[in-house]
Amino acid sequence: MARVNILLAGVGGQGIITMGKMIAEAGNYCNVKVLVAETHGLAQRGGAVNVHVRIGDVNSPLIPLGGADYLVGLEATEVLRNLNYCSKNTVIVLNNYVLRPVLPKVRLLEIREVLDRLKGLNVHLINAYEIAEKAGNTKAVNAALLGYLYSIGAFKGLLTEEAFYKSLKYESNVKAFQSAKSAFAHLL
């Protein structure tokens, strides 16, 4: 059976944990093993949150360093913090969004600076916020990123589109998933 490791990175309040649960639930509908582990410290809204998602033939929930097939950044600078999970084959899906750090005297990076630091890696930049806004709910950024992951074949042979529609629950999530999937379907 195939296996895929996806690391979701962002900050508290972006729906990262919910995104992991959506993938896990889609796995249940497909009878495919999905292991999910949240790693966050004292973070609440605005603090770093990571969710490890392992799908298929896997036995432990944490992705080993260098073992991520996909690194998904809901907040761009969080991708930089998690590069140790990447290998030369990792696909980085980067939401075009940077959040001002909560710590004083920490400079806010622009998306261009983040992209400069990721030069030489396989980076896909998308504006998931815009897709979610057009779908009617700006909180559907996570669903838009799932639609993008689906469009580039991240779940191929493991999870079906129909299973995602069941796990997304809300109409705006389904619209965001479909919009992202349709916008980037030419990538398959």
Side-chain angles (χ1 to χ4, degrees), residues 33-160:
K33 186 194 302 184
V34 177
L35 300 179
V36 177
E38 305 160 11
T39 60
H40 50 92
L42 299 174
Q44 301 228 342
R45 185 171 293 276
V49 177
N50 295 342
V51 174
H52 294 238
V53 179
R54 303 190 76 199
I55 306 168
D57 187 20
V58 293
N59 294 316
S60 64
L62 294 178
I63 299 169
L65 295 177
D69 299 301
Y70 297 91
L71 171 56
V72 181
L74 281 79
E75 196 281 327
T77 55
E78 289 302 318
V79 165
L80 298 176
R81 290 185 217 271
N82 291 284
L83 286 176
N84 53 347
Y85 287 98
C86 294
S87 71
K88 64 179 181 169
N89 300 318
T90 302
V91 175
I92 298 172
V93 177
L94 188 65
N95 183 23
N96 188 6
Y97 176 72
V98 179
L99 180 68
R100 176 167 295 288
V102 293
L103 297 174
K105 299 182 182 177
V106 175
R107 191 172 70 83
L108 174 66
L109 293 177
E110 294 180 19
I111 195 74
R112 175 189 45 77
E113 294 173 289
V114 174
L115 290 171
D116 284 347
R117 293 180 187 192
L118 298 174
K119 274 189 179 160
L121 300 173
N122 187 358
V123 179
H124 299 224
L125 178 67
I126 73 165
N127 191 337
Y129 182 85
E130 184 179 285
I131 293 169
E133 188 174 43
K134 287 180 181 174
N137 184 356
T138 56
K139 293 182 178 179
V141 166
N142 50 11
L145 288 166
L146 286 175
Y148 182 78
L149 284 171
Y150 192 87
S151 76
I152 62 173
F155 307 107
K156 191 173 185 177
L158 294 167
L159 307 180
T160 65

